[in-house]
Amino acid sequence: MKRIQLFEFEDYPWFPIWLRTCMTNLIMVLHRMMGVSEVLAYLMYRVIKEKNISKIVDLGSGSSGAMPDTMEALRELDSLRHLELLMTDLYPNKEVARRFNENTADNINYLETPVDATEMGTVPEGLKTFVNSFHHMPPEKARKILKSAEENQQPILIYEMAENKIPLLIWVILLPISLVILMIMTWFMTPFVRPLTWRQIVFTYLIPIIPICYAWDGQASLPRMYSAKDIDELLEGLGKNNFYWEHGAAKRANGKKLGTYIVGYPKA
């Protein structure tokens, strides 16, 4: 496989929840800047309509990510106003969960108990989604997730905003420059974070823990992503249980590429 298993700070259970939230807040700003919700809505609409799905179960939601914005985009379609979203995580952010669960009118909820994405049989019913989180799974877990989705006949959609295209040697050579660029980006993105907390400000501008962690995780995620050939390898032998698999380049409405996707669902 082209993918390599580097570490990211967010992978570790000891990583402070407040720091994880601050980093996820920046990712949400980046999602809005890049138009990720538009791309996700386009990808999901086809599966939702074809399989008559009424609920989305997001896995690895963190501090919510792009899914709430994606729900707004989907609900603009009259036929999908009934759609529900349940966010989940192996390390659920209970503060964020309470904020979403207090508003019952928007059909968006956050499960406060841990959910293991590798065991699809125990995950609530609905379209399973991984948004910029599948690269955290090493090959054995990634394969297990795909296999479990097929065995349990569960529709699944995986999206990654970036692609693993750069040769590893080039990535290593450019790493110092890339880290500096990402750290500088956090200074410009932070004012757009909502809600903007004192921790987000202090640990970005005065004690730059957030920029350092964000920059490393952002760069480390690139070699961890599965290339098209890697995905072919993960899917090898699947698709034989009346289950359809597809993967390719994700696109905006204007046809421009933005990331990659894997989609799978029962044929019947």
Side-chain angles (χ1 to χ4, degrees):
M1 279 194 170
K2 185 177 189 296
R3 179 194 186 273
I4 60 172
Q5 182 67 25
L6 295 178
F7 82 91
E8 292 182 47
F9 290 111
E10 289 185 281
D11 287 340
Y12 297 106
W14 53 259
F15 196 66
I17 291 177
W18 68 265
L19 185 50
R20 192 190 308 271
T21 300
C22 288
M23 290 171 61
T24 306
N25 287 341
L26 290 171
I27 295 171
M28 291 167 65
V29 172
L30 184 62
H31 284 170
R32 293 190 180 107
M33 291 170 58
M34 300 296 291
V36 167
S37 60
E38 173 194 345
V39 176
L40 284 171
Y42 176 77
L43 287 170
M44 290 179 189
Y45 181 76
R46 174 168 60 96
V47 182
I48 289 170
K49 292 297 290 182
E50 185 169 334
K51 307 309 295 184
N52 195 28
I53 291 169
S54 60
K55 188 175 186 177
I56 298 172
V57 180
D58 189 50
L59 299 159
S61 299
S63 298
S64 76
M67 285 306 300
D69 288 345
T70 303
M71 285 290 287
E72 288 187 19
L74 286 168
R75 283 176 179 161
E76 289 179 1
L77 306 169
D78 289 336
S79 59
L80 296 180
R81 292 191 181 279
H82 66 285
L83 197 62
E84 297 178 29
L85 170 63
L86 177 64
M87 293 182 287
T88 71
D89 202 281
L90 186 59
Y91 308 113
N93 187 319
K94 294 189 177 181
E95 181 180 342
V96 173
R98 282 193 292 269
R99 189 169 74 240
F100 277 100
N101 293 340
E102 284 173 358
N103 181 10
T104 58
D106 61 1
N107 280 344
I108 298 178
N109 292 289
Y110 197 129
L111 198 61
E112 295 189 37
T113 54
V115 171
D116 185 352
T118 63
E119 299 294 342
M120 285 293 173
T122 64
V123 178
E125 290 288 323
L127 171 63
K128 311 303 185 293
T129 57
F130 286 84
V131 180
N132 293 319
S133 59
F134 196 64
H135 66 272
H136 290 275
M137 307 296 172
E140 60 275 11
K141 281 193 176 183
R143 167 76 178 184
K144 186 177 181 181
I145 288 168
L146 299 175
K147 186 178 180 181
S148 181
E150 180 169 317
E151 289 176 344
N152 290 280
Q153 296 291 291
Q154 294 296 310
I156 184 170
L157 190 147
I158 296 163
Y159 173 77
E160 295 282 5
M161 186 173 64
E163 297 182 61
N164 186 355
K165 285 185 174 181
I166 303 172
L168 184 60
L169 179 60
I170 302 299
W171 178 85
V172 172
I173 292 171
L174 295 178
L175 183 60
I177 298 173
S178 301
L179 290 174
V180 171
I181 291 173
L182 283 178
M183 289 179 66
I184 293 173
M185 281 179 61
T186 65
W187 303 339
F188 290 96
M189 291 193 297
T190 295
F192 297 97
V193 168
R194 295 293 181 272
L196 184 58
T197 64
W198 67 268
R199 280 177 169 166
Q200 192 92 40
I201 295 171
V202 169
F203 291 101
T204 295
Y205 298 108
L206 300 181
I207 307 171
I209 296 175
I210 295 172
I212 292 170
C213 294
Y214 177 85
W216 170 256
D217 277 16
Q219 279 303 296
S221 67
L222 292 176
R224 299 180 83 189
M225 291 183 182
Y226 292 96
S227 67
K229 289 184 178 180
D230 291 342
I231 295 171
D232 285 334
E233 188 173 334
L234 290 175
L235 292 173
E236 187 176 353
L238 298 181
K240 297 178 180 179
N241 300 308
N242 200 35
F243 204 84
Y244 173 78
W245 288 104
E246 171 186 320
H247 70 90
K251 296 180 181 179
R252 297 186 176 96
N254 60 11
K256 291 186 177 181
K257 295 180 181 180
L258 183 63
T260 61
Y261 74 92
I262 307 171
V263 66
Y265 51 83
K267 292 179 181 177

